[in-house]
Amino acid sequence: MLVRFEMFKKWLLALCVGGLALNACAASEAAAPGSEDVVRKAVLSVEPTATIDSIKPAQLPGFYQVITSGLMLYVSADGKYVMNGDLLDLTAKKNLSEAGWAAFRKAELAKVPESARIVFGPANPRYRVTVFTDVNCGYCRALHEHVAAFTKAGIALEYVAWPRDGVTDPAGRNTQVYNEMVSVWCATDRKSAFTAAKEGKAPKSATCANPVKDQYELGLKLGVTGTPTIIAEDGTMLGGYVTPEQMLELLSKNKAGG
């Protein structure tokens, strides 16, 4: 089961008491130094239920980059230290953490087929963006109001489900918004049901094999914390609500590498 980002932050903050430089704090030693197994065991020794999605050598010598529970950490190869924060290359003036996140998001989103998304856009778009969305959030509705303008600008909006209230409530019952999003994804005409829901019309109740829960958990894994969350084709997170003009500017700048 995926550990929520907030839960993971709690133990990280509990460890990092004392305000050490770069948020460095000791973790436990395990196995032979310098291996991915050491790093994995160090993280799991603190949070045994953590889902570790990626471990790879960091561009910071002697450290590994770890993505777990929607959080990126840097763990020393001997398993003794963990750092929480952005890694910046001062020479290249580049955020290496964001570059790492982008590569991870791109790879994970590539696993989501178009058939599992609800897509609005031109036949041959200049740009495609993934939008983690909730049918009830105000900014999500405002974004969808401009779908014709996004299409005219050559931008395809590829929606995936992210019910903000989660899949279940504290009593273990499905949340209302989760049920509504399942009904949308299970509708005979998903695009019409989606647009109607964005206009405040409750979808006709329906159930089927659907990707809503998986997409919600994928969002947590990718660091999504609210809706809408917009991600470019290269995995760069562009932010939340933007107008078509702002989106086009962001995508053009992103494509140019700046």
Side-chain angles (χ1 to χ4, degrees), residues 19-52:
L20 298 181
L22 294 176
N23 294 327
C25 51
S28 62
E29 292 189 58
S35 70
E36 290 186 15
D37 188 51
V38 172
V39 172
R40 184 180 301 276
K41 287 181 179 180
V43 173
L44 294 178
S45 70
V46 181
E47 179 47 70
T49 63
T51 298
I52 299 175

Side-chain angles (χ1 to χ4, degrees), residues 199-246:
E199 294 171 348
K201 302 169 186 174
K204 181 180 178 181
S205 181
T207 58
C208 65
N210 67 85
V212 175
K213 181 175 183 291
D214 289 343
Q215 291 181 359
Y216 174 74
E217 292 184 346
L218 173 62
L220 294 177
K221 182 190 294 189
L222 300 186
V224 173
T225 58
T227 54
T229 292
I230 303 168
I231 301 176
E233 286 182 88
D234 68 351
T236 299
M237 191 175 284
L238 300 177
Y241 171 78
V242 291
T243 66
E245 294 79 12
Q246 291 170 328

Side-chain angles (χ1 to χ4, degrees), residues 137-160:
C137 86
Y139 283 114
C140 299
R141 290 179 172 180
L143 183 78
H144 195 66
E145 286 176 2
H146 300 292
V147 69
F150 281 111
T151 297
K152 185 176 180 180
I155 302 169
L157 304 179
E158 301 193 351
Y159 287 109
V160 293

Side-chain angles (χ1 to χ4, degrees), residues 168-182:
T168 58
D169 63 19
R173 298 167 298 196
N174 288 346
T175 62
Q176 179 180 340
V177 68
Y178 169 76
N179 286 336
E180 289 182 1
M181 297 192 81
V182 167

